[in-house]
């Protein structure tokens, strides 16, 4: 380092983790084999072939369920799930005030009303204690998303929703392969939705799926999607690349979880960056993102966004999370339960670490902590630079 170089990479210094995370998606020998086969058979360009059917069967097997429907994205899967459970104009659908934007938009698109509930203070997941206050005679369904390494208490969601006939859509787009209270993620409610987007744990560039045991839901999906042609299909090529990843999923879930735990242990004495963790029995989280509650006062008032920019410059993919939904939509579009105070906090201060690094088996966790400490030490320089 020259005398003039600032210790922080974002102010011109050397990044502390120059290698950065491993590439994503992973082009391993299994994927190479798939593409060789696709070329040999010509299945890469065919409407029909064996791969979609194999993927449906593999999803049914791994989730012990009766139906698996493949589609073009997680967003399409959520829309289909809402249609499957029979959401109609004027119905209400409960969801967390902090969630993926398209889940909100999908409800609005069906002329139904999102009912936003606040988050738990400790792990910023949907606060199940607020569900009863959210329910009205118009409530048709709930979307439960487990986000950024956190888990929602599905046992309690079921105990509240099932007796009232409220359909439970479990969004597992961020944790395929996880286990929640002894149940595989996606089977904790009436219908599970997953994403195979390009950054996701199971990647096909784009894609999604729905899993369920309800015959009626499957029929409604078929009715909606099959119009002489499938309206939101997954291709044979996409299904083919997903199959080996599905087989590798358990092992990768374990590796990612061990890696995240090691990071959380390394951060145990660090203030201002609290990992999002939920501690339900018989559970194994999934880490599309590892989330953190950021506390600016622990960094001399440095904003979450400036901290994120500084971490990215150091080589760590630490980004702000979603916007909370009540912050980016007109009040006319939703009904809110309570003051959504925690969703306000999450909107300002949630951070997420993108998953590829969790498969890196080097000791990057201690380097991560060094980066955090370095940013804390020189936070005044960053604040001065920003002003
Ligand atoms: C929680 C959640 N639900 C749904 C989706 C939508 O998935 P897709 O990008 O495949 O449309 C995402 C995507 O990031 C997500 O994080």
């Amino acid at each position: 380092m020259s005398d003039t170089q600032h210790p922080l990479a974002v102010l011109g210094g050397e990044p502390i983790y120059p290698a950065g995370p491993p590439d994503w998606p992973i082009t391993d020998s299994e994927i190479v084999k798939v593409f060789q086969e696709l070329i040999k058979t010509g299945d890469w360009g065919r409407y029909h072939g064996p791969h979609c059917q194999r993927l449906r069967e593999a999803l049914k097997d791994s989730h012990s369920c009766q139906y698996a429907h493949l589609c073009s994205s997680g967003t399409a899967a959520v829309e289909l799930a809402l249609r499957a459970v029979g959401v109609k104009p004027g119905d209400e659908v409960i969801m967390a005030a902090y969630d993926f934007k398209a889940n909100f938009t999908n409800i609005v698109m069906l002329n139904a009303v999102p009912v936003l509930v606040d988050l738990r203070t400790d792990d910023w997941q949907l606060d199940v204690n607020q569900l009863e206050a959210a329910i009205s005679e118009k409530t048709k369904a709930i979307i439960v998303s487990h986000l950024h390494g956190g888990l929602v208490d599905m046992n309690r969601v079921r105990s509240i929703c099932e007796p009232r006939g409220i359909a439970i859509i479990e969004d597992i787009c961020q944790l395929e392969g996880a286990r929640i209270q002894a149940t595989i993620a996606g089977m904790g409610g009436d219908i599970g939705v997953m994403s195979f987007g390009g950054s996701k744990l199971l990647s096909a560039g784009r894609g999604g799926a729905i899993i369920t045991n309800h015959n009626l839901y499957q029929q409604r999906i078929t009715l909606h999607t099959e119009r002489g042609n499938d309206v939101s299909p997954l291709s044979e090529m996409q299904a083919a690349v997903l199959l080996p990843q599905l087989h590798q999923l358990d092992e990768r879930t374990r590796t990612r979880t061990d890696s995240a735990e090691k990071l959380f242990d390394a951060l145990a004495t660090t203030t201002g960056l609290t990992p999002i963790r939920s501690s339900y029995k018989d559970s194994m989280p999934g880490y599309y993102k590892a989330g953190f509650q950021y506390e600016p006062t622990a960094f001399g008032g440095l904003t979450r966004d400036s901290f994120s920019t500084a971490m990215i410059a150091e080589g760590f993919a630490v980004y702000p999370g979603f916007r909370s939904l009540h912050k980016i939509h007109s009040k006319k579009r939703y009904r809110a339960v309570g003051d959504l105070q925690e969703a306000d906090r999450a909107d300002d201060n949630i951070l997420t670490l993108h998953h590829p690094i969790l498969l890196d088996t080097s000791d990057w966790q201690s380097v991560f902590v060094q980066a955090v400490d370095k940013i804390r030490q020189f936070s005044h320089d960053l604040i001065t630079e920003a002003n």
Side-chain angles (χ1 to χ4, degrees):
M1 192 176 82
S2 78
D3 287 350
T4 53
Q5 233 177 19
H6 195 282
L8 291 181
V10 72
L11 295 179
E14 296 297 327
I16 201 165
Y17 179 59
D23 287 343
W24 191 265
I26 299 172
T27 308
D28 60 13
S29 58
E30 293 293 307
I31 296 291
V32 170
K33 218 159 67 188
V34 166
F35 277 102
Q36 284 167 342
E37 275 298 304
L38 285 168
I39 289 165
K40 208 162 84 189
T41 58
D43 284 343
W44 62 269
R46 298 224 156 84
Y47 282 115
H48 303 291
H51 307 286
C52 285
Q53 186 52 26
R54 280 184 199 148
L55 181 60
R56 276 189 287 270
E57 291 306 322
L59 288 173
K60 286 197 286 183
D61 263 11
S62 55
H63 292 84
S64 307
C65 66
Q66 274 182 278
Y67 304 103
H69 177 88
L70 307 177
C71 61
S72 57
S73 68
T75 300
V78 172
E79 183 198 331
L80 289 174
L82 289 164
R83 291 185 185 280
V85 303
V87 171
K88 296 276 178 314
D91 286 344
E92 291 188 344
V93 180
I94 298 170
M95 66 185 300
Y98 178 91
D99 198 353
F100 190 61
K101 180 181 158 60
N103 290 1
F104 181 102
T105 317
N106 270 327
I107 298 168
V108 171
M109 246 188 48
L110 295 179
N111 292 316
V113 180
V115 176
L116 303 183
V117 299
D118 209 355
L119 312 179
R120 287 165 60 110
T121 310
D122 56 354
D123 62 8
W124 280 347
Q125 304 299 301
L126 185 150
D127 184 357
V128 180
N129 287 325
Q130 308 211 15
L131 282 190
E132 281 176 355
I135 293 169
S136 77
E137 70 282 359
K138 293 182 185 161
T139 310
K140 184 76 187 185
I142 178 171
I143 299 178
V144 182
S145 300
H146 310 275
L147 296 174
H148 314 336
L151 302 174
V152 179
D153 183 348
M154 293 307 290
N155 287 345
R156 281 205 61 211
V157 170
R158 276 195 304 275
S159 74
I160 295 166
C161 294
E162 278 178 359
R164 295 170 169 90
I166 297 168
I168 303 165
I169 298 169
E170 189 179 18
D171 178 336
I172 60 159
C173 293
Q174 297 211 350
L175 79 171
E176 287 96 344
R179 288 190 82 74
I180 303 164
Q181 297 161 317
T183 300
I184 184 144
M187 297 311 292
D190 296 292
I191 186 160
V193 292
M194 48 183 92
S195 164
F196 306 135
S199 60
K200 291 290 170 20
L201 300 176
L202 298 168
S203 288
R206 294 281 176 180
I210 296 150
I211 46 177
T212 185
N213 278 322
H214 290 261
N215 188 23
L216 174 64
Y217 295 173
Q218 172 63 26
Q219 283 176 19
R220 284 184 179 144
I221 290 170
T222 305
L223 197 67
H224 183 75
T225 53
E226 286 185 12
R227 304 181 197 168
N229 199 357
D230 186 343
V231 287
S232 57
L234 189 85
S235 72
E236 281 293 304
M237 182 163 60
Q238 288 169 299
V241 295
L242 286 164
L243 275 158
Q245 295 178 67
L246 193 60
H247 295 135
Q248 292 158 326
L249 185 60
D250 279 352
E251 196 187 323
R252 286 185 180 168
T253 301
R254 272 193 299 277
T255 307
R256 278 190 282 258
T257 301
D258 289 349
S259 205
E261 293 288 334
K262 203 169 150 199
L263 175 63
F264 301 160
D265 288 348
L267 281 169
T269 54
T270 302
T271 54
L273 204 60
T274 309
I276 289 178
R277 313 168 88 164
S278 314
S279 51
Y280 300 110
K281 264 183 68 188
D282 299 322
S283 301
M284 161 90 82
Y287 289 100
Y288 167 57
K289 307 273 180 188
F292 299 91
Q293 298 180 329
Y294 176 75
E295 178 50 62
T297 56
F299 293 87
L302 185 71
T303 63
R304 181 266 315 259
D305 290 6
S306 297
F307 177 87
S308 156
T309 307
M311 281 299 277
I312 292 165
E314 297 297 344
F316 292 104
V318 174
Y319 288 90
F322 302 143
R323 296 298 316 277
S324 286
L325 298 162
H326 64 299
K327 294 288 202 179
I328 52 171
H329 293 99
S330 158
K331 283 190 167 57
K332 285 185 273 184
R333 294 265 180 237
Y334 63 86
R335 181 163 76 75
V337 181
D339 57 9
L340 306 182
Q341 202 178 324
E342 289 302 320
D344 277 341
R345 283 184 58 218
D347 186 67
D348 287 335
N349 285 322
I350 204 160
L351 279 170
T352 64
L353 172 65
H354 194 38
H355 67 85
I357 196 168
L358 299 176
L359 293 179
D360 180 351
T361 48
S362 73
D363 180 28
W364 59 270
Q365 289 89 347
S366 57
V367 186
F368 186 100
V369 176
Q370 284 167 34
V372 172
D373 288 342
K374 186 164 70 147
I375 292 168
R376 190 195 319 276
Q377 191 185 347
F378 295 100
S379 62
H380 56 279
D381 293 1
L382 287 169
I383 292 167
T384 311
E385 172 85 5
N387 291 327

